[in-house]
Structure formats: structure tokens, C-alpha cells
């Protein structure tokens, strides 16, 4: 019998925490509020898909980021984003490695492809839900333009089941092409925003959340 995707019972204030917790529950992987907070951070421009992919990786899933933005490795773009968070940083203190390079070095896979229904359908056929970064206003026009996170599960031939934590934890059926448009038309200074994350169980599965990060 196929596994069912059940939104997390825990209450989170942000969509990134909710989709990560829901996916880890789906795979039966342990986590804690501390372990999620270690890897998920909030920025002036939103949450990074790279951080979500890294968080899942540290909790026992092999993850792949699907993203076609040509600015993924632009040092200027990443420097500008870093300065949005830390505007008083002097130029000589900017990170030597950008965010994508950081998580790839840790083990996240990167495929420079445009998200597609073929990629998503292939994952869902293997009972692997897909995390998306998307513009919710392109799902429901009454919503404000923004960037959020959701989780896709199988629907029918023409629809996906979409779990949207930022909208009353709604679980609805939405047309595949509408969902894809909402993913690919995200407008954000973050080059990881218009992307999807694929995940796969790793064996052996961890029996406890990852330990605390070392103090710097």
C-alpha cells in the first residue's frame, strides 16, 4: 500500500520548517526543534532551498536540488545577498564560498535543469514527495505575490496534491501546469528560489537527530 503524506502535527511559523518536518515524518526519520533550527535559517529575502536540502541531508536523506538559474555561481549575486543579512560586513570579510558551493561540498547533488512535470512525476511514481519553492499567488490569485515552500504528492493524471503550510495547512488538488508555472515564475533575488528538491532514503537510516553544530 502506498505511503500517505500527512501534514505534520507540530505547529511551525514558517513553511520551510513545516515541509521539512512533514517530509521527515513521511520517511519516519527523527528530528527535533533544535536539529531543524541548526540548518534552517531566515533571511531578509526568504529561506534558501539550499538550506532545506542540507537540512534533509543531515537528517538522513540524499537530496538533489533542481535549478536552472544562471546566477547560481555568481559571486556578485551571493555577495549582495550576504550583505542584505549583514550590511555592515567589510568586503574582505565576505564568504569565500557561495551557498550552492557550500552545500554541494557537504553532499547535496545539484542538477542544472529547469523543473519539469516529467521530473516531478518520476519522483512521485517512486513514492518520493517533492519540495517546491513557488509563488503562491500563481496558485490562487487572491494571495499576495511572495515566495513560499510546499510539498507535492501524487494526485491524478492532470493534478498534483499540494500541501501548503502557509495557507492554513491546506492540502488540495491543483493542475500540474499551474503548479509548474508557480515554480518557474518565482521572482526573488535568491537564485535558489525557483527550484525543487528531490529526496531519497539513505540506508541505514539514522536513529536519532543529527548532533548539535560545533560552536565557533
Amino acid at each position: 500500500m502506498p505511503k500517505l503524506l500527512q501534514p505534520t502535527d507540530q505547529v511551525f511559523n514558517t513553511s520551510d520548517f513545516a515541509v521539512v518536518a512533514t517530509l521527515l515524518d513521511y520517511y519516519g526519520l527523527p528530528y527535533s526543534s533544535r536539529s531543524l533550527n541548526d540548518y534552517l535559517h531566515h533571511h531578509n529575502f526568504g529561506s534558501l532551498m539550499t538550506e532545506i536540502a542540507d537540512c534533509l541531508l543531515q537528517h538522513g536523506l540524499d537530496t538533489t536540488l533542481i535549478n536552472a538559474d544562471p546566477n547560481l555561481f555568481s559571486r556578485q549575486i551571493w555577495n549582495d545577498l550576504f550583505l542584505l543579512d549583514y550590511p555592515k560586513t567589510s568586503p574582505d570579510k565576505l564568504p569565500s564560498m557561495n551557498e550552492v558551493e557550500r552545500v554541494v561540498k557537504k553532499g547535496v547533488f545539484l542538477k542544472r535543469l529547469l523543473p519539469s512535470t516529467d521530473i516531478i512525476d518520476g519522483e512521485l511514481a517512486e513514492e518520493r514527495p517533492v519540495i517546491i519553492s513557488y509563488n503562491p499567488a500563481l496558485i490562487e490569485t487572491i494571495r499576495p505575490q511572495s515566495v513560499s515552500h510546499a510539498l507535492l504528492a501524487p494526485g491524478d493524471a492532470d493534478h498534483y496534491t499540494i500541501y501548503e503550510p502557509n495557507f492554513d495547512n491546506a492540502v488540495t488538488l491543483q493542475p500540474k501546469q499551474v503548479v509548474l508555472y508557480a515554480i518557474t515564475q518565482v521572482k526573488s533575488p535568491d537564485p535558489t528560489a525557483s527550484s525543487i528538491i528531490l529526496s531519497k532514503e539513505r540506508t541505514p537510516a539514522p536513529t536519532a537527530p543529527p548532533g548539535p553544530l560545533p560552536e565557533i
Side-chain angles (χ1 to χ4, degrees):
M1 178 180 294
K3 290 192 287 186
L4 295 177
L5 181 69
Q6 298 287 343
T8 179
D9 290 331
Q10 299 195 48
V11 177
F12 294 105
N13 292 327
T14 58
S15 59
D16 52 348
F17 276 75
V19 297
V20 166
T22 297
L23 192 61
L24 293 175
D25 285 342
Y26 175 84
Y27 287 115
L29 294 170
Y31 62 90
S32 65
S33 294
R34 188 272 309 158
S35 71
L36 297 185
N37 273 292
D38 277 349
Y39 295 96
L40 299 176
H41 309 289
H42 302 293
H43 308 274
N44 293 332
F45 47 87
S47 299
L48 296 170
M49 286 288 272
T50 43
E51 291 172 336
I52 293 176
D54 183 27
C55 183
L56 294 170
L57 179 73
Q58 304 310 320
H59 285 79
L61 294 173
D62 289 327
T63 54
T64 301
L65 179 69
I66 305 292
N67 184 295
D69 194 309
N71 292 313
L72 275 179
F73 293 99
S74 166
R75 182 164 299 281
Q76 187 59 51
I77 293 293
W78 284 107
N79 286 351
D80 291 346
L81 285 179
F82 187 86
L83 291 172
L84 288 176
D85 277 340
Y86 307 101
K88 297 182 179 180
T89 303
S90 61
D92 60 313
K93 298 296 184 180
L94 290 169
S96 59
M97 185 182 299
N98 76 41
E99 173 65 13
V100 176
E101 293 169 331
R102 180 186 73 82
V103 299
V104 167
K105 186 175 181 181
K106 292 178 73 172
V108 172
F109 294 101
L110 170 66
K111 289 187 177 180
R112 301 190 72 175
L113 299 171
L114 192 67
S116 69
T117 54
D118 285 345
I119 295 172
I120 295 170
D121 289 350
E123 289 297 297
L124 299 185
E126 298 295 328
E127 298 184 23
R128 297 194 290 257
V130 175
I131 289 180
I132 66 171
S133 173
Y134 73 117
N135 180 352
L138 300 178
I139 301 288
E140 294 285 347
T141 56
I142 62 172
R143 298 170 177 173
Q145 298 281 334
S146 63
V147 182
S148 188
H149 305 95
L151 202 52
L152 298 184
D156 57 33
D158 299 313
H159 298 80
Y160 292 128
T161 298
I162 180 170
Y163 164 50
E164 299 180 276
N166 274 354
F167 299 92
D168 298 322
N169 280 332
V171 179
T172 60
L173 278 178
Q174 297 293 341
K176 290 182 177 182
Q177 292 303 322
V178 170
V179 173
L180 185 65
Y181 186 70
I183 297 168
T184 58
Q185 299 303 309
V186 169
K187 306 299 181 186
S188 170
D190 166 20
T192 73
S194 188
S195 59
I196 64 178
I197 294 173
L198 316 182
S199 59
K200 187 176 182 180
E201 292 177 275
R202 192 185 313 141
T203 53
T207 57
L213 293 173
E215 293 187 12
I216 299 175

